[in-house]
């Protein structure tokens, strides 16, 4: 018997499929040169952080007291930073939140683990995820002592299948995780969808006499590309919502680990829930998110990197792949394309793509087999260079 936790060993010794492919890409680049490898594996923003980040950092480093700047903030985050978050949310979404509803975190991953641990009472609870979903959800949910229940979205547009969702909800349902804009499908849930979801959950709460939360996982909130695409602010539609936000993608800062949990005032047992969030942050070792990057938030909140690059990439890839005979659901947001594999086994298809040095992620770990995810947060130049490889791959299957 080992002296280490078998559960943690399993998690740590097996890299995720995405990371595995990313590492393979690095190895392959060393062998054949970067210009011959088309790495679409990972969601690492490819455009630099906006100027406000550099300016805010320079200003802080040159003018702030270094001891205070790099010191601990309050466990839940600097009070001025949390106030800036509250002011921005109130101004943008006509909400009524305050600094004391926010807990600054190390990105959306921490926001989710903190929220799930805060909600888990140990009473055999379930959390519903809508497939396709970010694979780490399963890890976060089970680690918080709850069961992950998958509900598939509609295949034609990756929108919510409300009949399937309703039949998955039971007295055990503690929360539903909503990720819009979505990784990996790029789908965005419209206002009407959120209204329907809210009505369903309200009815289910009454049926079972329980409280069901929406965990709104929102690292891609600002990444939408058409003026008609609006991302509703879910607490305005459903009271029992906890927002898990991250600046990783909007400001191109994934390595800096900065985000927040927002417990809106109308959420059930608000004060207890906020304290449970603080407690989970403490228990998980997430007190005091990185101080320097907390302090750039007041100057940068609401701004984004140059996302026009992602729009250009999306349109270029969607048009070309459709022309080559691939089945693509046009994504409204995030920076992923979810494409039907040209054979039923997406892993086998991914291996054939690899032979063309196209690194695309099979969808099995997203809970929706038969597809591949293509991250288009890469250089436009690489996309252009990759198109002949996508065409050759399609030809192998009698397309293009
Ligand atoms: N949720 C989704 C849907 C994601 O795609 C990611 C990262 O790619 C995360 C959460 C984690 O984000 P962060 O890097 O801010 O922890």
């Amino acid at each position: 018997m080992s002296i280490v936790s078998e559960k943690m060993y399993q998690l740590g010794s097996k890299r995720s499929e995405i990371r595995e492919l990313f590492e393979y890409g690095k190895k392959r680049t060393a062998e054949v040169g970067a210009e011959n490898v088309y790495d679409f594996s990972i969601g690492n923003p490819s455009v630099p952080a906006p100027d406000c980040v550099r300016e805010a950092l320079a200003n802080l480093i040159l003018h702030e007291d270094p001891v205070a700047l790099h010191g601990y903030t309050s466990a839940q985050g600097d009070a001025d930073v949390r106030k800036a978050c509250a002011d921005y949310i109130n101004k943008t979404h006509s909400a009524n939140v305050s600094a004391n509803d926010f807990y600054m975190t190390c990105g959306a991953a921490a926001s989710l683990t903190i929220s799930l641990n805060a909600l888990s009472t140990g009473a055999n609870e379930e959390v519903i995820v809508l497939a396709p979903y970010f694979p780490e959800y399963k890890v976060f949910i089970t680690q918080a002592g709850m069961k992950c229940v998958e509900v598939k979205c509609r295949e034609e547009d990756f929108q919510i299948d409300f009949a399937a969702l309703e039949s998955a909800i039971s007295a055990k349902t503690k929360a539903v995780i909503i990720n819009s804009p979505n990784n990996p499908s790029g789908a965005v849930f419209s206002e009407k969808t959120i209204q329907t979801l809210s009505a369903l959950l309200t009815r289910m709460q009454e049926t079972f006499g329980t409280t069901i939360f929406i965990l709104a996982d929102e690292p891609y909130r600002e990444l939408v590309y058409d003026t008609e695409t609006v991302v509703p602010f879910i607490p305005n539609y459903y009271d029992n919502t906890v927002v898990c936000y991250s600046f990783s993608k909007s400001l191109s800062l994934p390595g800096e680990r900065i985000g927040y949990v927002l417990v809106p005032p109308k959420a059930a047992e608000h004060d207890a829930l906020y304290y449970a969030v603080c407690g989970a942050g403490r228990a998980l070792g997430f007190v005091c998110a990185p101080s320097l990057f907390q302090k750039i938030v007041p100057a940068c909140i609401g701004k984004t990197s140059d996302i026009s690059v992602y729009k250009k990439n999306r349109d270029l890839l969607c048009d070309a792949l459709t022309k080559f005979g691939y089945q693509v659901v046009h994504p409204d947001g995030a920076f992923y394309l979810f494409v039907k594999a040209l054979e039923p086994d997406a892993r086998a298809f991914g291996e054939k793509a690899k032979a063309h040095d196209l690194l695309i992620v099979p969808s099995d770990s997203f809970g929706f087999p038969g597809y591949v995810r293509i991250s288009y947060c890469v250089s436009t130049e690489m996309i252009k260079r990759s198109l002949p490889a996508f065409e050759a791959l399609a030809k192998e299957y009698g397309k293009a």
Side-chain angles (χ1 to χ4, degrees):
M1 205 174 94
S2 170
I3 56 155
V4 303
S5 153
E6 176 60 21
K7 206 163 87 181
M8 293 303 151
Y9 171 79
Q10 288 301 337
L11 275 177
S13 58
K14 277 195 239 117
R15 261 198 282 257
S16 76
E17 224 166 346
I18 299 171
R19 291 266 159 199
E20 206 61 70
L21 203 56
F22 181 60
E23 293 302 325
Y24 172 82
K26 286 201 269 189
K27 190 173 129 257
R28 197 64 191 134
T29 297
E31 286 165 7
V32 298
E35 68 285 6
N36 298 313
V37 180
Y38 315 114
D39 185 354
F40 293 98
S41 63
I42 208 162
N44 214 2
S46 57
V47 291
D51 289 345
C52 64
V53 170
R54 194 193 312 224
E55 286 156 14
L57 283 173
N59 193 33
L60 287 164
I61 287 167
L62 292 175
H63 303 299
E64 291 294 313
D65 165 28
V67 174
L69 183 60
H70 300 297
Y72 289 121
T73 66
S74 304
Q76 68 271 40
D78 180 90
D80 291 340
V81 172
R82 289 183 289 114
K83 179 167 185 314
C85 292
D87 289 347
Y88 173 76
I89 293 291
N90 290 339
K91 192 176 86 196
T92 315
H93 303 296
S94 308
N96 186 21
V97 298
S98 75
N100 291 336
D101 301 325
F102 286 81
Y103 186 96
M104 303 307 293
T105 64
C106 299
S111 303
L112 285 161
T113 49
I114 287 174
S115 304
L116 288 162
N117 277 275
L119 288 173
S120 176
T121 67
N124 212 9
E125 292 155 318
E126 297 180 349
V127 176
I128 295 178
V129 297
L130 304 175
Y133 59 84
F134 181 54
E136 297 300 284
Y137 289 164
K138 229 181 192 161
V139 177
F140 300 158
I141 293 166
T142 47
Q143 184 48 34
M146 297 191 275
K147 186 175 163 207
C148 179
V149 173
E150 294 178 13
V151 172
K152 276 193 158 187
C153 284
R154 303 190 310 215
E155 190 160 3
E156 64 272 25
D157 54 6
F158 298 109
Q159 293 288 324
I160 300 175
D161 178 341
F162 282 106
L165 177 59
E166 178 164 352
S167 49
I169 296 174
S170 73
K172 293 181 186 167
T173 306
K174 190 59 180 270
V176 182
I177 300 183
I178 299 296
N179 170 225
S180 165
N182 185 266
N183 172 12
S185 73
V188 174
F189 297 150
S190 67
E191 180 180 42
K192 185 160 179 298
T193 298
I194 298 302
Q195 283 166 336
T196 310
L197 176 66
S198 167
L200 172 64
L201 295 184
T202 304
R203 185 158 55 80
M204 293 287 101
Q205 290 189 131
E206 281 160 15
T207 304
F208 294 110
T210 54
T211 305
I212 303 174
F213 283 88
I214 290 180
L215 291 190
D217 177 25
E218 303 203 328
Y220 302 99
R221 160 166 283 283
E222 292 81 9
L223 272 63
V224 291
Y225 306 114
D226 305 298
T227 43
E228 67 274 16
T229 309
V230 175
V231 181
F233 182 65
I234 301 181
N236 285 351
Y237 298 85
Y238 186 71
D239 289 348
N240 295 327
T241 299
V242 175
V243 179
C244 297
Y245 184 80
S246 166
F247 295 95
S248 293
K249 317 285 175 169
S250 56
L251 293 178
S252 297
L253 294 175
E256 305 300 353
R257 317 308 298 135
I258 189 74
Y260 61 71
V261 174
L262 164 62
V263 181
K266 286 191 187 159
E269 296 187 34
H270 169 273
D271 293 359
L273 178 53
Y274 183 76
Y275 283 126
V277 162
C278 296
R282 182 178 169 194
L284 296 167
F286 280 137
V287 293
C288 178
S291 171
L292 184 58
F293 278 85
Q294 282 192 51
K295 288 171 187 162
I296 63 130
V297 166
C300 300
I301 191 164
K303 303 196 174 131
T304 67
S305 321
D306 179 9
I307 64 168
S308 70
V309 176
Y310 302 142
K311 179 178 161 74
K312 193 156 120 199
N313 289 356
R314 175 196 68 171
D315 293 343
L316 180 65
L317 256 180
C318 267
D319 291 352
L321 295 195
T322 307
K323 199 175 101 209
F324 300 151
Y326 293 93
Q327 191 181 312
V328 179
V329 174
H330 194 262
D332 287 323
F335 39 46
Y336 308 100
L337 211 57
F338 207 52
V339 179
K340 197 159 174 87
L342 295 179
E343 60 179 292
D345 181 348
R347 287 202 170 105
F349 179 64
E351 285 304 312
K352 292 206 180 107
K354 246 172 155 177
H356 294 268
D357 284 311
L358 281 172
L359 310 187
I360 53 185
V361 183
S363 64
D364 302 67
S365 59
F366 299 103
F368 209 105
Y371 283 75
V372 285
R373 187 191 76 171
I374 302 176
S375 294
Y376 59 79
C377 48
V378 295
S379 76
T380 310
E381 197 39 50
M382 189 191 90
I383 295 181
K384 286 184 183 156
R385 273 190 286 112
S386 74
L387 295 181
F390 277 113
E391 188 171 17
L393 180 63
K395 278 195 174 135
E396 275 180 36
Y397 291 88
K399 310 252 179 202

